[in-house]
Amino acid sequence: MKKIMVLTSTLLMAFTAHASSVNIALDAAPNREGSGTYRYVDNLLLSLNEAGWETESFPRNSIGGENERLSMVRSGTLDISMSQYSSAAQFVPEMQVLQLPYMFKDTDHQYNFFVNSDYLDSVNRRLSSEGLRILAVVPTGGFLGIFNDEKTIKTVTDMHGLRMRALDENQLTIYQKMGANGVLIPFSEVPNALRVGIADGYINASSVPIIFNHTELLKHFTNAKVIMSARLVLASQYWWDNLTRAEKEQFTAMSHAAQKEVFEWVNSSEENHHKALVAAGIEVYEPTADELLTFKAAVATMNQQVNGVPFERVVQLQKMISDYKTH
């Protein structure tokens, strides 16, 4: 009986050690002051390690790009990937509505909606059949502005004639509405595209050219705050289902704390990022309220062409987000 008890205890300890483990694929260089997604992972792993979890992280693109990491998460061979928003939106098309331009008032509005509303719960119910689960939405930095190497962008009219790198179909539509041309380019190919003139710029968080060493390739930044900065903490449903209830609760609490700290950092660091751009030789332009309205007016009809989502549902989601309390 004693041998059985010892064996049972050993097996239980082994199971616990296995269950209380996580591996995460990073999407950015290890720079806490430059990248919100790295900051989130750094916060999270520190807390998990202190709680006794076994953790492992993989450097950016060391185990594959966005598509490869998505396949690994879906199959359960990777626990978590810091992934682009479209990795999940392709399976739940209405998520595209949340990335329409000027959907959120500010980062506090964005944070409160994703953390305190039940919208992600409804998304995760649909993603589970794809082997996926969104654990958190994390910004790289502040709302996305307009970078280019050609001219100062003060109003939407200044976008005419520019050829801009697009992350996805949503950004292609944004450029079209603004009078620019868009071209889909993987992020790893952006530096070469800027050098040879395939692209004149992109929309991104103000910290991105600093993190990825694009500052010599760009000359102008307009803080147009076009869309939210949002990356996903995308988990394997298989990994999640094999955690105990206590482990899920502990992980969720630590994830929420890590996410909250990142949003606080975003609010306090934007000015520093703008100063860093100027120091690197990039002009930073702050549009006036009237100038900002030209961008908003140009993209106002994008809600009529969200692929795979009935217009009635788009309007419903817009109202739900607009009405959601910011505090």
Side-chain angles (χ1 to χ4, degrees):
M1 179 64 70
K2 185 176 180 180
K3 288 183 178 180
I4 293 174
M5 290 178 65
V6 170
L7 179 60
T8 301
S9 176
T10 301
L11 288 172
L12 181 60
M13 289 175 64
F15 172 76
T16 302
H18 171 72
S20 295
S21 66
V22 64
N23 56 57
I24 303 178
L26 301 174
D27 65 337
N31 181 346
R32 277 187 62 87
E33 296 308 313
S35 169
T37 51
Y38 177 77
R39 193 178 184 97
Y40 166 86
V41 174
D42 195 40
N43 291 341
L44 177 65
L45 294 188
L46 178 62
S47 297
L48 291 174
N49 288 332
E50 289 178 349
W53 285 59
E54 294 181 5
T55 65
E56 182 177 10
S57 61
F58 303 106
R60 177 175 177 263
N61 291 338
S62 62
I63 58 172
E66 292 281 356
N67 292 335
E68 291 81 8
R69 299 200 307 274
L70 175 61
S71 296
M72 294 172 71
V73 171
R74 294 182 73 190
S75 67
T77 55
L78 173 64
D79 298 337
I80 295 175
S81 171
M82 302 300 291
S83 290
Q84 62 190 19
Y85 191 85
S86 59
S87 294
Q90 64 182 297
F91 301 111
V92 185
E94 70 173 42
M95 286 181 66
Q96 300 171 87
V97 178
L98 281 67
Q99 276 209 312
L100 288 174
Y102 304 104
M103 181 61 61
F104 293 93
K105 300 178 182 71
D106 50 35
T107 51
D108 287 339
H109 186 194
Q110 178 188 351
Y111 172 79
N112 279 286
F113 180 81
F114 280 114
V115 172
N116 297 321
S117 79
D118 60 359
Y119 182 71
L120 281 186
D121 293 335
S122 68
V123 169
N124 281 332
R125 284 193 289 272
R126 282 171 278 184
L127 284 177
S128 62
S129 62
E130 301 292 341
L132 300 171
R133 181 180 186 85
I134 298 172
L135 299 177
V137 176
V138 179
T140 296
F143 280 36
L144 309 192
I146 303 166
F147 286 95
N148 85 99
D149 61 4
E150 294 293 320
K151 56 186 176 180
T152 303
I153 306 297
K154 295 184 177 181
T155 71
V156 76
T157 304
D158 298 318
M159 293 291 292
H160 294 187
L162 291 180
R163 185 174 173 85
M164 304 290 287
R165 177 262 176 173
L167 167 69
D168 51 27
E169 293 293 332
N170 182 56
Q171 290 191 6
L172 284 176
T173 304
I174 290 173
Y175 295 137
Q176 178 190 10
K177 295 290 185 182
M178 290 184 175
N181 297 310
V183 56
L184 290 169
I185 301 174
F187 194 74
S188 59
E189 298 175 19
V190 166
N192 187 58
L194 291 171
R195 287 190 188 97
V196 302
I198 295 174
D200 298 316
Y202 51 56
I203 58 174
N204 230 315
S206 60
S207 59
V208 167
I210 301 166
I211 303 169
F212 295 99
N213 299 314
H214 296 169
T215 52
E216 294 184 0
L217 303 171
L218 298 161
K219 297 177 182 177
H220 308 277
F221 173 68
T222 299
N223 192 25
K225 302 178 181 178
V226 182
I227 56 176
M228 66 174 179
S229 167
R231 301 279 295 180
L232 302 180
V233 185
L234 196 61
S236 162
Q237 188 67 45
Y238 174 80
W239 167 79
W240 183 256
D241 287 342
N242 279 279
L243 297 179
T244 66
R245 180 176 178 179
E247 288 164 345
K248 289 177 181 176
E249 290 176 350
Q250 185 179 51
F251 186 97
T252 299
M254 292 180 175
S255 174
H256 282 168
Q259 179 189 27
K260 186 174 188 291
E261 196 277 339
V262 170
F263 272 92
E264 291 171 348
W265 165 79
V266 167
N267 283 335
S268 64
S269 65
E270 272 296 273
E271 184 178 350
N272 290 335
H273 291 151
H274 292 178
K275 288 179 179 178
L277 290 175
V278 172
I282 296 178
E283 173 202 47
V284 173
Y285 184 76
E286 290 285 347
T288 66
D290 287 343
E291 289 170 341
L292 202 56
L293 282 176
T294 68
F295 295 99
K296 293 181 179 180
V299 297
T301 59
M302 278 185 62
N303 64 347
Q304 299 174 19
Q305 53 189 107
V306 181
N307 291 333
V309 187
F311 181 63
E312 294 77 12
R313 178 57 175 164
V314 173
V315 173
Q316 182 184 28
L317 285 170
Q318 285 184 299
K319 187 176 188 311
M320 178 176 68
I321 295 166
S322 177
D323 292 348
Y324 196 80
K325 59 185 179 182
T326 57
H327 298 288

